Amino acid sequence: MREEIQKIKEDTLEQLTKLTSSEELQELKVRVMGKKGSLTSLLKQMGQLSAEERPKMGQIVNELRTQLEDAWDKKWREFEKNALESRLREERIDISLPGYSLPQGHQHPLSKVIEEIEDIFMGMGFTIAEGPEIETDYYNFEALNLPKDHPARDMQDTFFITEDILLRTQTSPVQIRTMEKQRPQLPVKIIAPGKVFRNDDDATHSPMFHQVEGLLVDKGVRMSDLKGLLLYFSRQMFGESREIRLRPSFFPFTEPSAEVDVSCMLCGGAGCRLCKGTGWIEILGAGMVHPHVLEMGGYNPKEVTGFAFGMGVERIAMLKYGIEDMRLLFDNDIRFLEQF
Ligand code: 2U9
């Protein structure tokens, strides 16, 4: 038995020197000390020894065990140390390397134009009002003098959610809501910028676009006030030498109504490709608020008057920056956005 113990000892210590990983070490441990290991089976034979031999042999086996445990521990620590060192080598960070630059976004030209329009009107004492994009039939149509089956209510153009709930087709509901909230206080002097939705989609129409509408309600507001304000706005937006003209038009919510042209910002009025030779470019619609709409907002049309106007932001942006295709405004291509 002594020889066998000696052999296990020699074999094990020799194999230990050949190991290359902690997994192999674990396997060797099982081969020697595991349930079916060589040392374990030897221990099982101890019962066959004489009473005199047994304690001696027990002592030898215990010593071997301690010796092997120590050798294993040493080897284990060696593997751990190597693993740590190689990790440190592999994961070393070169702090002198320049970092990756993150791609930067850019403010959208539509946001820029909206901010510019807001600044111009805030400079004239207007405040900014906002409201829901999902509206009721009442605020989007009824209160704006567009009763059910009015011919100007183009059902084809409206995204309905239910019979009574829809995506707003204009920002005018914001003005009705503001009048309701504010009455009987005067003046009501707001602009309402925001997204609007219409069911058409081609090269010149998008199902979602942006509007800025304005409303001024007070005692003694006149059409000439509207004209002066729009001239000031046009010059701020498109240059000091711009002129404007008003052409009679029709909107259900204003009476009288006008379409507003600005003298061409490309040719100055001489006639060119942009203004199709006319010298004028349409930029917005406007008019005196219809008495019925004032009433729906909670104001007495015998005591107060008001004007309103509305413009499409995409159109203003395209004219201001010479953008020829509206779809560029919706692609969000950074190479396009960075030009503004
Ligand atoms: C209230 C009363 C009146 C808003 C107005 C227009 C004329 C107009 C168009 C411009 C281009 C819409 O985006 S567009 O297609 N808008 O021509 N909008 S007057 O009138 C109002 C609004 C609210 C209470």
Side-chain angles (χ1 to χ4, degrees), residues 46-110:
M46 293 263 286
Q48 295 162 10
L49 297 173
S50 65
E52 200 185 322
E53 271 288 294
R54 215 178 293 153
K56 285 185 192 157
M57 213 43 89
Q59 197 189 348
I60 292 174
V61 170
N62 276 338
E63 273 169 19
L64 173 59
R65 226 198 218 140
T66 320
Q67 207 177 355
L68 288 180
E69 293 281 5
D70 287 350
W72 271 314
D73 281 353
K74 202 173 144 212
K75 199 75 192 165
W76 181 263
R77 278 195 298 274
E78 191 183 306
F79 285 139
E80 290 281 280
K81 191 170 156 251
N82 287 346
L84 180 66
E85 274 170 5
S86 74
R87 256 187 68 197
L88 286 175
R89 230 178 295 118
E90 280 162 23
E91 294 177 12
R92 167 173 291 158
I93 295 167
D94 181 353
I95 54 166
S96 69
L97 273 178
Y100 299 108
S101 59
L102 292 172
Q104 277 211 325
H106 196 275
Q107 188 184 33
H108 198 282
L110 288 176

Side-chain angles (χ1 to χ4, degrees), residues 144 172 175-176 179 209 211 213 251 253 285-286 293 308-310 312:
L144 287 155
S172 323
Q175 282 113 293
I176 298 285
M179 283 199 279
F209 64 102
Q211 278 189 344
E213 287 194 350
F251 305 111
F253 29 81
V293 174
F309 55 89

Side-chain angles (χ1 to χ4, degrees), residues 90-312:
E90 280 162 23
E91 294 177 12
R92 167 173 291 158
I93 295 167
D94 181 353
I95 54 166
S96 69
L97 273 178
Y100 299 108
S101 59
L102 292 172
Q104 277 211 325
H106 196 275
Q107 188 184 33
H108 198 282
L110 288 176
S111 308
K112 207 175 148 89
V113 168
I114 290 171
E115 278 179 19
E116 218 170 306
I117 297 171
E118 288 175 347
D119 283 347
I120 296 171
F121 285 102
M122 282 195 294
M124 292 189 274
F126 283 74
T127 53
I128 294 160
E130 286 181 13
E133 289 168 9
I134 299 171
E135 264 297 357
T136 59
D137 185 277
Y138 174 81
Y139 284 108
N140 195 77
F141 290 127
E142 201 84 21
L144 287 155
N145 209 22
L146 280 145
K148 292 231 156 63
D149 51 66
H150 189 285
R153 258 198 200 210
D154 195 339
M155 291 308 177
Q156 259 77 9
D157 278 2
T158 308
F159 287 114
F160 279 94
I161 293 165
T162 68
E163 206 181 308
D164 193 47
I165 298 172
L166 45 83
L167 298 184
R168 68 181 182 194
T169 58
Q170 54 213 15
T171 58
S172 323
V174 177
Q175 282 113 293
I176 298 285
R177 286 175 180 277
T178 309
M179 283 199 279
E180 266 186 0
K181 230 186 304 171
Q182 206 186 295
R183 69 178 170 188
Q185 249 172 277
L186 287 171
V188 180
K189 197 173 178 185
I190 51 166
I191 57 164
K195 291 184 170 71
V196 299
F197 306 86
R198 290 188 195 173
N199 194 3
D200 44 20
D201 186 15
D202 57 47
T204 56
H205 295 90
S206 157
M208 182 281 290
F209 64 102
H210 299 78
Q211 278 189 344
V212 176
E213 287 194 350
L215 174 72
L216 173 63
V217 178
D218 205 349
K219 286 199 162 108
V221 174
R222 303 184 301 174
M223 190 96 179
S224 53
D225 299 320
L226 171 64
K227 193 176 175 191
L229 174 121
L230 294 176
L231 178 62
Y232 177 77
F233 166 74
S234 302
R235 288 181 172 170
Q236 290 288 306
M237 201 66 195
F238 295 109
E240 271 309 312
S241 51
R242 298 278 73 76
E243 296 295 339
I244 61 164
R245 71 174 185 188
L246 274 59
R247 285 176 288 108
S249 185
F250 173 81
F251 305 111
F253 29 81
T254 47
E255 182 59 36
S257 304
E259 278 168 320
V260 181
D261 297 342
V262 64
S263 55
C264 182
M265 49 291 272
L266 195 62
C267 63
C272 69
R273 190 175 60 98
L274 183 66
C275 59
K276 299 191 181 79
T278 65
W280 295 98
I281 291 176
E282 185 183 327
I283 54 161
L284 47 82
M288 299 305 291
V289 180
H290 195 290
H292 189 218
V293 174
L294 286 173
E295 221 167 85
M296 297 295 260
Y299 287 87
N300 184 350
K302 291 202 175 87
E303 291 171 9
V304 300
T305 51
F307 65 63
F309 55 89
M311 65 189 99

